Amino acid sequence: MASVTGLSNPRAYLLDNRRFVGIMFLLPALVYILLLVGFPFLLAIAFGFSDVTVGNTDLSFVGFRNYEAVWENNIFRQVFGNTVMFTLVSQFFILIFANILAIIFTQEFTGKWFARFIFILPWATPVSLAAIGWLYMFDTKLSPVDYLLLQTGFLGPDGVWGPGRNLLWLARPALSQVSVIFVQVWRMTPLATVILMAGLSSIPTDILDQAEVDGSRFMRTLLQIKLPLILPIMVIALLFSMITMFGDMTVVYLLTRGGPIDYTRILGLYSFQIGIEGGNLAQGAAMALFAFPLLLALAIVMLRVASRAEVR
Amino acid sequence: MGAIFMSLVELRGIKKYFDKVRAVDGVDLEIDEGEFLVILGPSGCGKTTLMRMIAGLENPTAGQVFIGGADVTALPPRKRGVSMVFQSYALYPHMNVFNNIAFPLKAQRREKKFDRRAIRGKVVDTARLLEIDMLLDRRPRQLSGGQRQRVAIARAMVTQPAVILLDEPLSNLDAKLRANARDELKEFQRSSNITAVFVTHDQIEAMGLGDRIVVMSDGKIQQVGTPQLIYDDPANEFVATFLGSPSMNILRADAWSFGFRPENFLPKTLADNPENSRIFDYYVKRVEYLGSDRLVYGYIRGRDSELTLAKVPSNVRVSLDVDSDYEFAVHNSDIKFFDRVSGQRIEHQDLGGVV
Ligand SMILES: Nc1ncnc2c1ncn2[C@@H]1O[C@H](COP(=O)(O)OP(=O)(O)OP(=O)(O)O)[C@@H](O)[C@H]1O
Ligand SMILES: [Mg+2]
């Protein structure tokens, strides 16, 4: 009898225990958070209040000295401004493009699967590879974009953007910022689109059929039914994308190293350059931690908005 | 179309195939103005698909749909003057009740020239009619099942459509609420004189609500008629056995079969017209007491392999003992004959050599 009910088998009994199973399910996430997020975070805080360098790894407490130094650093202020500006501007475009693309990709048309596949590639490409591709596109001499502009008469002796034969994408202040934002938008739009597509296809078909029978046309259905219903998912997607962008350094590191001057230097890159390349671990850590309260506040506000917009 | 009278909705040779699945397989149907038409059939027989084609949500593989005499087969839903209540009610979860009901009015405001004030008036009037006017500020998730159903009906009614399509709108309600809602729905349809097409797989709902019932199976119409016609005069074996609970007893002969309903199979002493009845020797195996009726399980002597049921009213004082033989009678006109192959009704056959 006991074998039938499984009572003689202690393991089956343990797996029937909700608390135990719950903890087991959480364990991998807990380990991950503690080891790979919690520990480095605490270490960064410890570094931020010390005078540690790559050469001298003894931690001695120095109070808020690093933070004061960072705050008085003019370059840091520009870097911080750049980071906020790059994040906001690229999120703006990502949101617009991702919405448009998600709507297109959830319609029925021939070649949809191929179009989706092609479109997902930027996201699937390793950043370093993509950046090298874009380095070539933006090259001072070899840029294919410049070549096209030259052929179409925008560049060159008589062109509106002439007389030069090259735009020098990554060497001019404003243009380098545009280039970096462009690559970020190119790179991040697919993920946002996929998230929004998942949101759109989770809307019950009954609701959309009902809207159709009620006489609603494309735009009304989009603005009054679809978008409000995916708003929570949209906010979450935006939050993820913003946090990723805020901490990112790979794109600028590979494209511009922060130049010209400091025009494309952002927080992640600068703290890396100061802390690791410059060896001043303490100040690098203090710098990176400046982003923390901002992102925390952002996450709280956006998660609130998302849960308030959640209606199902 | 011509000057001859035409029904409000007409379906001609409608088919819908999903790859190999023949969801609807050649349906011809006319629906009259002001009629309450019920489409009844087992799960998966194509009821919803048929309704979606009337609404314009699904393009027929073949055939035509006419509404008000005009061929609307190629028109989108919004040009058909049809509204629909889905089984799930499909209320817009992010809108309050007012905005849910107002949505079709707003969507059609340009064509129908509703202004803001007219919309408000119509919504409030319809809500009052369905007794949900105190719920206008609530979100759908704050409503009970019955209230949601009323909101869905209000939203379907508010534009005064030519036809309202209802896809099993009562199936999400509990039994008691369901009987209530059925009564109200019928009352409401009668007083507003709207044309309603109501889909269900519940025969009691169908019998109670329908002016006419369309019985479907396997994508085809089996029979169309008043509830009484369908029950008393089924066109084929499927209709005969699908309606009625418990279902009709069917006994097989060589080329045909015959059947009679359990409630028409009564002890001979109770038969009001024994000369015109067929008498069977009936062996009682088991009796279930159901309150108002006794359900008798047994078989006709010589037909021991075919379970035959009788439904005997409890208030008649006939004792029915288990494991005993009785004489049971069925009025000749209550015996129906069917072709063994096609299942279609055939004329009376001689039962002499069979039982
Ligand atoms: N979009 C679709 N794609 C493929 N097959 C479908 C589709 N819609 C319906 N079917 C099939 O068509 C048949 C009829 O389906 P339908 O939904 O019309 O049945 P129903 O009579 O409404 O059943 P129920 O009472 O369960 O709602 C079923 O076999 C179903 O599997
Ligand atoms: Mg159905």
Side-chain angles (χ1 to χ4, degrees):
Chain A
M1 204 59 220
S3 66
V4 174
T5 58
L7 281 178
S8 65
N9 183 345
R11 212 172 326 146
Y13 179 67
L14 207 55
L15 288 179
D16 282 334
N17 183 332
R18 278 165 175 273
R19 275 181 74 103
F20 175 77
V21 174
I23 290 169
M24 289 310 283
F25 273 120
L26 280 178
L27 206 58
L30 277 176
V31 169
Y32 171 81
I33 289 173
L34 287 178
L35 289 182
L36 295 171
V37 180
F39 177 67
F41 180 66
L42 292 178
L43 198 63
I45 291 178
F47 280 4
F49 286 108
S50 74
D51 59 357
V52 66
T53 62
V54 172
N56 173 14
T57 49
D58 297 334
L59 291 187
S60 47
F61 185 72
V62 296
F64 282 92
R65 214 177 65 196
N66 288 317
Y67 292 92
E68 282 160 22
V70 167
W71 190 241
E72 273 150 25
N73 179 346
N74 280 329
I75 297 177
F76 172 78
R77 292 192 184 188
Q78 185 181 356
V79 165
F80 199 79
N82 282 346
T83 313
V84 173
M85 189 270 282
F86 281 18
T87 306
L88 291 181
V89 173
S90 46
Q91 289 313 316
F92 175 78
F93 286 108
I94 289 170
L95 208 56
I96 289 177
F97 292 143
N99 266 297
I100 293 174
L101 286 162
I103 288 156
I104 292 174
F105 284 137
T106 45
Q107 307 291 315
E108 286 307 321
F109 59 90
T110 43
K112 176 166 130 176
W113 288 105
F114 184 70
R116 279 189 182 185
F117 167 73
I118 289 293
F119 163 78
I120 210 83
L121 280 179
W123 180 48
T125 314
V127 197
S128 48
L129 207 63
I132 288 166
W134 284 107
L135 264 181
Y136 169 65
M137 295 296 275
F138 294 142
D139 191 89
T140 323
K141 288 245 162 57
L142 303 173
S143 167
V145 187
D146 286 352
Y147 180 75
L148 273 179
L149 290 174
L150 190 63
Q151 294 302 311
T152 48
F154 286 98
L155 278 174
D158 308 319
V160 269
W161 294 329
R165 298 172 64 84
N166 291 92
L167 271 182
L168 309 176
W169 291 94
L170 299 178
R172 294 174 168 183
L175 209 52
S176 66
Q177 294 184 331
V178 169
S179 304
V180 167
I181 288 173
F182 181 87
V183 174
Q184 291 288 27
V185 172
W186 172 85
R187 189 168 77 94
M188 309 270 279
T189 300
L191 178 61
T193 308
V194 169
I195 295 176
L196 292 185
M197 270 162 60
L200 283 174
S201 50
S202 76
I203 298 176
T205 44
D206 271 7
I207 299 258
L208 300 177
D209 286 343
Q210 179 76 57
E212 210 182 332
V213 175
D214 283 347
S216 177
R217 291 162 197 243
F218 182 82
M219 277 318 265
R220 179 180 297 272
T221 305
L222 179 65
L223 295 177
Q224 296 188 6
I225 309 278
K226 289 183 178 174
L227 289 186
L229 286 180
I230 63 166
L231 189 66
I233 284 180
M234 201 144 71
V235 172
I236 303 272
L238 188 66
L239 177 65
F240 278 166
S241 174
M242 281 179 101
I243 289 176
T244 312
M245 269 234 51
F246 211 90
D248 180 70
M249 55 161 276
T250 40
V251 170
V252 275
Y253 184 74
L254 292 165
L255 279 186
T256 63
R257 306 255 157 170
I261 319 176
D262 295 315
Y263 282 102
T264 62
R265 206 177 305 282
I266 55 175
L267 200 59
L269 177 65
Y270 195 41
S271 62
F272 175 78
Q273 286 170 330
I274 297 281
I276 309 294
E277 293 186 343
N280 192 343
L281 284 177
Q283 228 178 72
M287 211 169 263
L289 281 172
F290 260 93
F292 178 68
L294 194 72
L295 291 181
L296 189 66
L298 186 77
I300 289 172
V301 169
M302 291 181 86
L303 288 175
R304 275 260 168 95
V305 170
S307 77
R308 195 156 303 166
E310 180 81 64
V311 285
R312 262 165 285 174
Chain B
M1 290 257 96
I4 329 152
F5 170 76
M6 220 177 147
S7 39
L8 182 62
V9 179
E10 187 181 340
L11 307 179
R12 282 195 206 153
I14 290 286
K15 292 181 181 174
K16 180 71 190 184
Y17 297 169
F18 296 107
D19 293 324
K20 281 188 189 132
V21 181
R22 301 183 166 201
V24 173
D25 199 8
V27 163
D28 294 286
L29 184 63
E30 295 188 11
I31 304 167
D32 297 327
E33 194 156 358
E35 177 176 36
F36 200 120
L37 185 86
V38 173
I39 301 179
L40 173 69
S43 190
C45 72
K47 306 180 295 291
T48 299
T49 310
L50 186 66
M51 181 167 267
R52 288 171 63 85
M53 287 191 285
I54 300 176
L57 290 169
E58 212 88 65
N59 286 324
T61 312
Q64 290 164 293
V65 180
F66 295 86
I67 295 178
D71 185 346
V72 298
T73 318
L75 295 185
R78 73 188 139 83
K79 300 215 169 137
R80 296 190 177 202
V82 165
S83 67
M84 187 155 173
V85 176
F86 288 75
Q87 186 171 353
S88 63
Y89 305 144
L91 297 179
Y92 306 123
H94 58 296
M95 295 183 193
N96 64 17
V97 170
F98 182 93
N99 286 326
N100 262 283
I101 301 175
F103 187 80
L105 293 172
K106 288 180 185 161
Q108 298 167 30
R109 105 208 251 173
R110 199 130 358 114
E111 290 96 326
K112 303 233 174 115
K113 303 199 167 49
F114 301 133
D115 63 17
R116 200 168 282 273
R117 182 118 48 83
I119 289 178
R120 170 155 278 280
K122 278 171 192 284
V123 172
V124 172
D125 286 349
T126 314
R128 201 167 288 150
L129 206 60
L130 285 151
E131 295 170 19
I132 46 171
D133 46 331
M134 62 295 182
L135 305 174
L136 289 174
D137 293 329
R138 296 223 198 144
R139 290 279 182 93
R141 63 155 174 220
Q142 298 166 313
L143 301 176
S144 71
Q147 291 168 334
R148 282 179 205 182
Q149 180 237 357
R150 284 151 187 265
V151 174
I153 291 177
R155 182 177 56 184
M157 299 286 312
V158 75
T159 51
Q160 292 170 309
V163 189
I164 177 169
L165 307 170
L166 303 126
D167 191 356
E168 311 207 20
L170 307 183
S171 62
N172 286 333
L173 306 181
D174 64 46
K176 200 171 156 202
L177 209 54
R178 216 167 151 156
N180 249 335
R182 197 164 73 211
D183 181 45
E184 283 173 4
L185 190 62
K186 181 73 188 180
E187 202 47 53
F188 185 66
Q189 184 265 340
R190 200 174 285 153
S191 61
S192 59
N193 202 33
I194 193 170
T195 309
V197 180
F198 183 101
V199 161
T200 183
H201 58 237
D202 179 337
Q203 48 167 306
I204 298 179
E205 228 165 76
M207 301 286 286
L209 281 171
D211 294 326
R212 286 194 303 155
I213 297 178
V214 177
V215 182
M216 278 185 78
S217 130
D218 287 335
K220 295 193 185 71
I221 291 186
Q222 301 297 323
Q223 190 174 5
V224 184
T226 60
Q228 192 170 359
L229 180 90
I230 290 203
Y231 193 78
D232 292 342
D233 210 3
N236 56 40
E237 202 178 314
F238 175 82
V239 177
T241 50
F242 187 67
L243 279 111
S245 167
S247 70
M248 185 182 270
N249 295 306
I250 299 283
L251 297 155
R252 311 273 171 214
D254 287 338
W256 42 271
S257 50
F258 68 99
F260 46 84
R261 296 199 178 279
E263 67 266 30
N264 295 330
F265 187 50
L266 295 170
K268 190 183 164 195
T269 48
L270 294 177
D272 38 65
N273 199 350
E275 332 51 279
N276 286 326
S277 296
R278 172 86 204 182
I279 313 295
F280 297 98
D281 290 329
Y282 184 57
Y283 168 74
V284 174
K285 204 169 66 176
R286 191 160 68 84
V287 179
E288 276 175 9
Y289 181 72
L290 300 181
S292 61
D293 295 295
R294 279 171 289 177
L295 201 54
V296 186
Y297 294 76
Y299 49 81
I300 289 167
R301 283 291 179 197
R303 296 224 152 234
D304 299 11
S305 60
E306 287 162 308
L307 185 67
T308 304
L309 274 68
K311 195 171 172 185
V312 183
S314 302
N315 56 3
V316 296
R317 311 218 169 271
V318 182
S319 66
L320 290 166
D321 294 326
V322 173
D323 248 345
S324 322
D325 280 273
Y326 294 92
E327 279 193 321
F328 267 56
V330 190
H331 198 275
N332 284 332
S333 65
D334 288 332
I335 304 181
K336 318 289 179 198
F337 295 83
F338 306 100
D339 188 273
R340 274 294 294 273
V341 180
S342 68
Q344 295 304 310
R345 268 284 285 287
I346 51 176
E347 70 282 9
H348 264 253
Q349 304 287 323
D350 182 18
L351 279 176
V354 181
V355 201

